[in-house]
Amino acid sequence: MKPTYLLFLLLGLLLYCENISNYEKKESLRNLYVFLNLPDEQKILTVCKESETTALNCLSGSEVMYISILNNFYNTTISNQNPELYCKEIINSQIGKQFSYDAKRCHFECNQNFWSTVNCSNTTELLSSYSKCLPGIWIRECSDQNFKKCLQNCFLNGTPIWFIN
Amino acid sequence: MKIIKFLFIFLFLLVNQLLSFQIKIQILNETKQPQDNLRVILIETKEAQFTDSQGLVEFDVPKEGFYNLRIILNDGRILQPSIQVLGKNQTIVVYTSQPKETPITKDNQQIVGEEGITIIGKKQKQISSVYSVKLEEIKRIPGQFGEALRGIENLPGVSAPAFGNGELSLRGSNTDSNAYYVDNLPIAYPFHLIALNSVIQNELIKSIDVYTGSFPANYGDAYGGIISINTPDNVEKFGGLTTFSLWSSSVLFQKPFDSKTGYFIIGARVSYLDQTLISFIPPNTVLVPKYSDAQVKYKFNLSQTQSLYFYLIGSKDSFVGKVKEKPFQNPLEELPPDLIGASVAINRDFLTIALRHSYQPNSKFYTESTLIQYINRFYIDGSIGQIKAKLTRNKGYSSFRNDSNWELFKNYLSLDFGFNLRNRILTNKGSTLRVTDPLNPNPNPYKTDPPDFEQVPVNDKDFTPNHNAYVVLNIKHPYFEFYPGVRYEYFGLQKQEVVDPRGTFSINITKEFQIIGGGGIYHLLPKGDQYSKTSGNPYLTFEKASHSSGGFQYKQEIWIFRIEGFKQYYDNLVVGDPYITTPIKINLDPIKRWTEPILFNAPLYFSNKGDGFSYGVELFIKKDLPPKTNGFYGWISYTHSVSKRKDHIHRPTEEEKQRVLSADEKKLLQYYDNSQLYSANFDRRHIINFILGWKINSEYQLGTRWRYATSPPYTEIIGDDGGITKNNGRPIFQPKFSETKNTVRQKPYQRLDLRLDKFLNYEWGYGNVYLELLNIYIRDNPAGFAFDKAVPYSNVNPTVANEFGNLEISISSKRRIRIPLFNIGIEVKF
């Protein structure tokens, strides 16, 4: 047998030895997709503005109470009702800094989902529900099942990326 | 005082017996063939014995001189020759008739027609990385409660905890990476749940080959080592053995068929320690441990070239434990607060049934085919704190296996080859528990916010092909031997295939001196609960190890001196992984599945991220005792071993702990590997075993064992959790462990054990009474740290937990003394 054939035979044997499942490759690809989709500050500002605009639209007439809840929770001094102006203050507050960009995205997206799906007529009850689902305290106190489910999906399960599998 | 008197009488009898000496009588017929199973009586001492297959019997005589024998022949005739004894160890040959000058057939041949056939196959060939011990060498080692299988724990390269359950670390590989085989048939576990007895009776063990590494391609289902138990393949006469101890009794019968066409061996053991040790059970506690085992081997010679074997090997363990929720009369006796109210019921058993056909048409070819049904069942129903689990698991396989040997060039080249077509079975039903954070060294079953455990419903029913095949070439030359081989494994769940090249060699520098070495690649399938589709990760791949070893051996007639160094790498080890998920999974929760039938990003709990290495040196000096002789035998084994592991699982940093992350971000942390290399849990750097046996005469035998081992590493306890959880008002202080794993070691382990055997020889067999004294110099041997969860962490909590190695007895109302742990055993062979 020529040495070249022997070399090919050994090479083939070695390659055959490690014929592992490609699950790991797929998992890496999925995680790369997650990584590329992580938000930056600009994206968070956009999400925040959209979320806050939806909330304020729903709470027409009760905006002051809403801003007061935000100030109490984030320990901020928001005086206006313009998300363009106060979102940056929320994001950079001491409380806000305890959350990563993607964690903030979770909250703003779930907030938006909450305010866009509820019946906006009973604002007192809505504000009560909302204040129980604020960042950090939702795990124990949040009683709105849709709101809680949304947060659980984002904080415990993550983005489902099933199309690559 | 009674014990001292007893020892005094024992020593007196011993000294008296030392004055006598042993002689051997060999009975041959007129063609000089040994005559077995003849009754021989030494009239002066009234001692009676039966001759063995060599026609030999041994007698003790008080002094030189003339003695009279009575020999009862098989045809009923009685011979009464006189013999002259000249000195000790003399062998006197007695002929039943006038001898003729005819050649004696070799022991290892049988005659078929006109051709002699050498028995081939089933022989252990390699020298490197294997230690072979015979039953007689390990059966009477002190300190193992008469269990021969425990004797392998004294061999080089073996790291085993005292009173362990047979989970050995061989050359620093994981304790669950070895496989036990009995005549190439699998057994699920070597020792019962209460590890006082093995699941295989001593008399069913002829010899054991312990491959501490570099094992040949015909062995699989392991990447650490192989413990291959060989059973007797010959029964000459009807006989049996029965044993009695405080916790169990066993009985074994063996009988050749009258037509000499085969034999059967049947044995069973049953425990009763739930009755005999009931007074040791703490108050308010229910403990019911029970176990039993049974073995059957049946051989039927179909012809002179074909045999049929039937095997049944089974074992069953059950354990019920419950701590009642009611106050203890003496509060100091109260058990740890987390155990109050806890209960568990465990059943486990295995059954291996096999039908084997062996065929050897000539000297060049041997083949055996085996149908195997192997099942290992496990049931648990338990609760502690907030958690409950109830699970029934069956695993095992049905297989058709063939092993063959073909001699291509006589004495130079032969081929071992075989395959195993098997269907692996895994059924799981119920609910199991998974820790939510596998990095948590001490998950708390009472914690609810968030819980440390997750109850996971399981429902697996998998029948998966798991085939393998192997080829080993045996190349022999006067100057060297080389055994290259290759093994192929296939597992159907993910259609995984692996090919493992392996080999060992020996180079004969002189007749006695050999350079030896070996190595190869080894793969092991993850465990059933790890690759479970419903409660584990079905994408797991084979765990892998690469072995290499080298050294030399010097072997004279009865002496062996061997040094061997080794280095092993481990890859794809299964570890608990808090990050790994699957994108889609069907929800098996019987209630939640109706509202949420599909789970996204469901945890898989395990991954193949672990790796590690081990290296070290083994030294073995052994002196054999020739059969039927008195004198000293034993061995010294020394192992230096370093075994490290790394799980490649990200540990959250302080900064990450302060920051709230989304699930996506947490998942990505897995790519930032900040894990540290740590010493494996079973890593003992130095282990020395000194085994010395002294066969004084046919009535007495003395054995001693001294063991030294460095402590395994422990993770330091640095505080407690402040007693944040409570059990019915009792605070539970959970220990808080250091972030750096396995950095603390305790003082070394040392133990000296003695065993004295007294044999009572009768016409029908013998009785064997033995006394074992464990930990003669009453050393406090550390066995880890004990943390009292009823009180906070302090200078005196945790304390060093000492091994149970001695007894305390009261000699007056105020004084208690410690004495070595002792054990008395009885064995009757007929």
Side-chain angles (χ1 to χ4, degrees):
Chain A
M1 190 182 278
K2 285 183 179 177
T4 330
Y5 292 153
L6 199 64
L7 196 67
F8 278 123
L9 191 71
L10 280 173
L11 198 64
L13 190 71
L14 278 173
L15 287 172
Y16 200 64
C17 282
E18 289 299 346
N19 182 16
I20 60 162
S21 140
N22 55 5
Y23 166 78
E24 274 183 40
K25 280 183 193 168
K26 287 178 184 172
E27 183 66 5
S28 299
L29 198 60
R30 280 193 292 270
N31 288 329
L32 179 65
Y33 180 81
V34 168
F35 177 71
L36 293 173
N37 272 296
L38 284 181
D40 58 3
E41 189 172 1
Q42 204 54 47
K43 166 94 175 165
I44 291 303
L45 271 173
T46 312
V47 177
C48 175
K49 283 170 202 166
E50 286 170 4
S51 162
E52 294 305 304
T53 307
T54 313
L56 291 169
N57 286 343
C58 183
L59 291 165
S60 177
S62 303
E63 293 92 338
V64 178
M65 280 177 72
Y66 177 70
I67 296 294
S68 147
I69 289 171
L70 293 184
N71 276 333
N72 277 339
F73 181 75
Y74 287 105
N75 204 13
T76 51
T77 51
I78 303 163
S79 54
N80 59 75
Q81 292 170 12
N82 183 357
E84 286 280 350
L85 300 172
Y86 74 72
C87 261
K88 207 161 195 173
E89 208 171 334
I90 292 175
I91 288 165
N92 293 319
S93 67
Q94 281 303 312
I95 299 289
K97 278 180 181 170
Q98 290 175 11
F99 292 79
S100 69
Y101 284 144
D102 205 44
K104 285 174 193 143
R105 177 191 61 80
C106 290
H107 277 290
F108 291 131
E109 283 183 356
C110 289
N111 288 352
Q112 190 178 7
N113 183 51
F114 173 73
W115 292 114
S116 61
T117 53
V118 291
N119 181 352
C120 297
S121 57
N122 191 350
T123 52
T124 316
E125 199 177 305
L126 289 176
L127 284 171
S128 169
S129 291
Y130 172 74
S131 60
K132 287 177 185 169
C133 299
L134 283 163
I137 59 173
W138 68 271
I139 297 173
R140 290 194 194 107
E141 295 181 16
C142 189
S143 53
D144 186 290
Q145 288 307 309
N146 286 335
F147 205 151
K148 194 171 184 178
K149 185 79 189 161
C150 174
L151 290 165
Q152 274 177 339
N153 279 338
C154 207
F155 280 101
L156 301 177
N157 300 336
T159 314
I161 307 164
W162 47 269
F163 55 87
I164 301 173
N165 200 36
Chain B
M1 284 304 289
K2 279 184 180 175
I3 291 169
I4 295 166
K5 272 184 191 171
F6 174 73
L7 286 174
F8 187 79
I9 293 165
F10 217 96
L11 287 171
F12 174 75
L13 290 169
L14 171 67
V15 172
N16 197 31
Q17 288 297 321
L18 294 179
L19 298 173
S20 64
F21 59 88
Q22 192 180 60
I23 58 161
K24 282 191 253 183
I25 313 287
Q26 188 175 31
I27 314 292
L28 304 176
N29 66 5
E30 68 277 12
T31 58
K32 295 184 180 174
Q33 294 281 1
Q35 297 299 290
D36 67 337
N37 205 18
L38 295 185
R39 192 171 156 201
V40 184
I41 301 161
L42 188 63
I43 291 171
E44 280 75 11
T45 62
K46 294 182 180 169
E47 193 182 347
Q49 304 263 11
F50 280 93
T51 55
D52 63 11
S53 58
Q54 302 297 310
L56 284 166
V57 284
E58 292 175 357
F59 289 111
D60 282 311
V61 291
K63 57 183 181 181
E64 293 90 348
F66 287 91
Y67 292 86
N68 292 296
L69 292 174
R70 180 175 293 162
I71 304 165
I72 303 163
L73 302 180
N74 287 330
D75 57 9
R77 284 184 297 139
I78 295 175
L79 301 178
Q80 276 200 200
S82 287
I83 55 168
Q84 186 182 10
V85 176
L86 300 171
K88 66 178 182 178
N89 291 331
Q90 185 185 0
T91 302
I92 300 165
V93 177
V94 177
Y95 291 96
T96 56
S97 305
Q98 186 65 31
K100 297 171 190 170
E101 287 304 314
T102 49
I104 297 173
T105 314
K106 285 182 188 172
D107 287 340
N108 62 344
Q109 291 187 337
Q110 51 178 260
I111 302 301
V112 180
E114 295 179 347
E115 191 185 4
I117 295 177
T118 306
I119 303 300
I120 57 174
K122 297 209 286 187
K123 284 183 198 165
Q124 181 272 110
K125 302 176 187 83
Q126 73 180 54
I127 301 169
S128 172
S129 307
V130 62
Y131 299 93
S132 299
V133 284
K134 296 191 284 281
L135 176 66
E136 304 79 57
E137 294 171 323
I138 51 173
K139 186 180 173 182
R140 302 188 202 288
I141 292 176
Q144 45 191 49
F145 300 114
E147 282 302 321
L149 192 55
R150 203 171 278 292
I152 62 172
E153 294 174 359
N154 302 298
L155 292 170
V158 180
S159 173
F163 310 114
N165 62 358
E167 287 197 341
L168 313 173
S169 169
L170 300 177
R171 287 186 172 172
S173 60
N174 285 7
T175 51
D176 56 0
S177 67
N178 311 310
Y180 281 81
Y181 290 104
V182 176
D183 283 353
N184 265 339
L185 301 172
I187 57 170
Y189 46 87
F191 284 88
H192 288 287
L193 211 55
I194 308 286
L196 293 165
N197 286 121
S198 70
V199 300
I200 301 291
Q201 288 199 39
N202 286 353
E203 286 306 300
L204 207 69
I205 299 172
K206 182 184 168 195
S207 63
I208 307 176
D209 299 324
V210 181
Y211 294 86
T212 52
S214 301
F215 50 88
N218 49 321
Y219 288 111
D221 293 340
Y223 70 75
I226 297 289
I227 296 94
S228 175
I229 299 165
N230 307 304
T231 64
D233 198 24
N234 189 25
V235 173
E236 293 172 350
K237 61 182 184 189
F238 172 74
L241 185 100
T242 180
T243 66
F244 305 95
S245 72
L246 199 58
W247 42 82
S248 70
S249 288
S250 70
V251 64
L252 182 139
F253 294 102
Q254 53 184 27
K255 186 181 184 305
F257 297 131
D258 294 336
S259 51
K260 299 279 180 191
T261 52
Y263 61 86
F264 73 83
I265 306 171
I266 182 165
R269 174 182 358 239
V270 65
S271 79
Y272 37 75
L273 79 170
D274 57 312
Q275 298 299 320
T276 51
L277 301 182
I278 202 162
S279 56
F280 291 92
I281 295 172
N284 283 0
T285 309
V286 178
L287 287 176
V288 189
K290 285 182 179 175
Y291 57 84
S292 55
D293 56 64
Q295 303 88 34
V296 175
K297 182 180 179 183
Y298 175 104
K299 182 184 179 185
F300 185 72
N301 295 318
L302 299 170
S303 68
Q304 286 183 308
T305 58
Q306 295 185 66
S307 298
L308 205 58
Y309 295 83
F310 172 76
Y311 288 91
L312 185 150
I313 306 165
S315 168
K316 182 176 169 64
D317 287 72
S318 66
F319 178 82
V320 175
K322 186 176 170 68
V323 182
K324 292 173 189 167
E325 176 62 78
K326 65 178 190 181
F328 282 64
Q329 284 186 339
N330 179 359
L332 294 173
E333 284 182 349
E334 189 163 276
L335 291 166
D338 54 336
L339 294 182
I340 308 286
S343 68
V344 66
I346 294 173
N347 280 325
R348 68 167 192 178
D349 59 60
F350 76 84
L351 182 64
T352 304
I353 301 175
L355 188 64
R356 177 172 287 163
H357 173 257
S358 71
Y359 177 50
Q360 187 178 351
N362 52 48
S363 298
K364 293 188 172 183
F365 188 73
Y366 172 84
T367 186
E368 63 178 37
S369 301
T370 315
L371 281 168
I372 305 169
Q373 176 69 36
Y374 162 62
I375 195 80
N376 176 16
R377 295 184 297 186
F378 178 75
Y379 166 81
I380 186 166
D381 183 359
S383 73
I384 179 170
Q386 308 301 318
I387 61 171
K388 286 182 174 57
K390 190 172 182 179
L391 174 74
T392 305
R393 178 184 303 141
N394 294 341
K395 57 182 184 178
Y397 55 78
S398 310
S399 81
F400 174 70
R401 177 182 174 135
N402 178 269
D403 299 272
S404 300
N405 176 281
W406 181 21
E407 191 171 55
L408 302 169
F409 296 101
K410 195 172 183 181
N411 298 330
Y412 287 99
L413 190 65
S414 67
L415 200 64
D416 289 336
F417 56 96
F419 61 85
N420 194 353
L421 302 174
R422 62 182 173 179
N423 211 17
R424 201 169 270 280
I425 302 154
L426 174 69
T427 64
N428 272 327
K429 195 155 181 65
S431 64
T432 188
L433 292 172
R434 295 280 180 248
V435 285
T436 48
D437 179 10
L439 301 175
N440 180 357
N442 189 33
N444 182 354
Y446 289 86
K447 196 159 164 266
T448 52
D449 189 23
D452 281 354
F453 288 92
E454 182 186 355
Q455 194 165 325
V456 180
V458 288
N459 188 8
D460 295 305
K461 211 169 195 179
D462 293 329
F463 299 90
T464 316
N466 178 207
H467 310 312
N468 61 64
Y470 68 88
V471 179
V472 181
L473 202 57
N474 307 304
I475 305 165
K476 290 185 179 180
H477 184 272
Y479 298 116
F480 69 89
E481 290 180 12
F482 181 37
Y483 305 108
V486 67
R487 183 180 180 86
Y488 165 81
E489 289 260 2
Y490 171 79
F491 184 54
L493 196 62
Q494 294 296 328
K495 297 186 171 52
Q496 295 178 56
E497 292 172 298
V498 286
V499 178
D500 295 345
R502 302 174 188 176
T504 59
F505 69 88
S506 61
I507 301 167
N508 304 326
I509 305 297
T510 66
K511 191 181 166 192
E512 292 88 11
F513 186 82
Q514 294 161 314
I515 294 172
I516 56 176
I521 308 288
Y522 303 82
H523 281 94
L524 172 63
L525 197 66
K527 288 173 199 59
D529 68 314
Q530 292 170 338
Y531 72 73
S532 155
K533 283 178 187 167
T534 56
S535 63
N537 181 354
Y539 306 106
L540 288 176
T541 61
F542 283 90
E543 295 182 300
K544 179 186 172 188
S546 314
H547 294 190
S548 57
S549 60
F552 69 84
Q553 173 174 282
Y554 182 82
K555 186 176 181 182
Q556 270 197 333
E557 283 173 12
I558 54 170
W559 285 93
I560 296 174
F561 179 85
R562 190 195 290 186
I563 289 183
E564 207 166 358
F566 62 87
K567 178 132 195 180
Q568 305 189 157
Y569 293 96
Y570 311 102
D571 286 305
N572 299 338
L573 299 185
V574 175
V575 291
D577 190 334
Y579 303 103
I580 194 156
T581 57
T582 184
I584 297 174
K585 186 178 169 181
I586 293 168
N587 193 349
L588 287 166
D589 190 303
I591 297 164
K592 291 180 185 168
R593 66 186 306 176
W594 301 108
T595 52
E596 195 179 8
I598 305 286
L599 298 172
F600 294 106
N601 290 343
L604 292 177
Y605 306 104
F606 303 102
S607 70
N608 281 108
K609 285 185 182 163
D611 64 16
F613 61 85
S614 62
Y615 62 85
V617 177
E618 296 167 3
L619 171 73
F620 189 48
I621 303 169
K622 185 183 177 198
K623 181 186 182 287
D624 284 329
L625 189 65
K628 309 287 178 188
T629 56
N630 296 331
F632 290 98
Y633 67 95
W635 69 76
I636 299 169
S637 72
Y638 166 71
T639 309
H640 166 62
S641 171
V642 176
S643 188
K644 300 272 190 180
R645 296 289 183 275
K646 196 172 183 181
D647 56 23
H648 296 278
I649 301 293
H650 173 79
R651 267 77 177 162
T653 60
E654 283 307 312
E655 192 190 339
E656 285 159 7
K657 283 178 190 169
Q658 300 298 321
R659 210 170 166 79
V660 179
L661 302 175
S662 71
D664 286 347
E665 285 171 320
K666 280 182 203 159
K667 206 174 165 201
L668 291 172
L669 285 177
Q670 65 181 300
Y671 294 102
Y672 171 44
D673 176 18
N674 62 351
S675 60
Q676 304 280 318
L677 200 65
Y678 61 89
S679 296
N681 296 344
F682 41 79
D683 174 56
R684 294 174 188 264
R685 297 292 162 89
H686 304 280
I687 302 171
I688 303 169
N689 290 295
F690 182 82
I691 308 293
L692 182 66
W694 179 23
K695 196 174 174 193
I696 301 162
N697 53 41
S698 65
E699 287 190 34
Y700 284 94
Q701 187 167 332
L702 190 66
T704 179
R705 175 178 77 158
W706 182 71
R707 181 175 171 81
Y708 171 95
T710 42
S711 157
Y714 297 94
T715 305
E716 193 179 4
I717 297 173
I718 54 169
D720 64 61
D721 68 348
I724 52 168
T725 50
K726 289 185 171 57
N727 180 9
N728 206 6
R730 301 174 188 88
I732 303 166
F733 293 89
Q734 288 287 347
K736 194 176 163 190
F737 287 85
S738 162
E739 294 277 326
T740 49
K741 191 176 176 182
N742 289 352
T743 50
V744 181
R745 286 180 197 264
Q746 299 178 319
K747 69 177 183 180
Y749 185 96
Q750 274 186 45
R751 201 173 98 195
L752 177 68
D753 302 332
L754 277 179
R755 171 170 161 151
L756 184 61
D757 281 89
K758 160 76 177 164
F759 300 94
L760 306 158
N761 296 298
Y762 300 102
E763 289 176 20
W764 43 265
Y766 70 81
N768 175 199
V769 183
Y770 63 86
L771 169 71
E772 281 183 305
L773 298 172
L774 282 72
N775 196 10
I776 293 282
Y777 50 87
I778 312 176
R779 182 184 156 88
D780 283 331
N781 280 311
F785 291 98
F787 187 86
D788 184 356
K789 292 182 180 176
V791 292
Y793 172 83
S794 67
N795 285 342
V796 290
N797 189 29
T799 53
V800 173
N802 288 321
E803 182 195 89
F804 178 70
N806 48 64
L807 295 173
E808 266 194 0
I809 53 168
S810 299
I811 53 169
S812 69
S813 59
K814 289 182 182 171
R815 220 173 136 214
R816 292 168 72 84
I817 57 162
R818 285 164 55 176
I819 61 165
L821 183 65
F822 65 90
N823 171 44
I824 296 169
I826 303 169
E827 190 180 282
V828 179
K829 188 166 185 177
F830 51 90

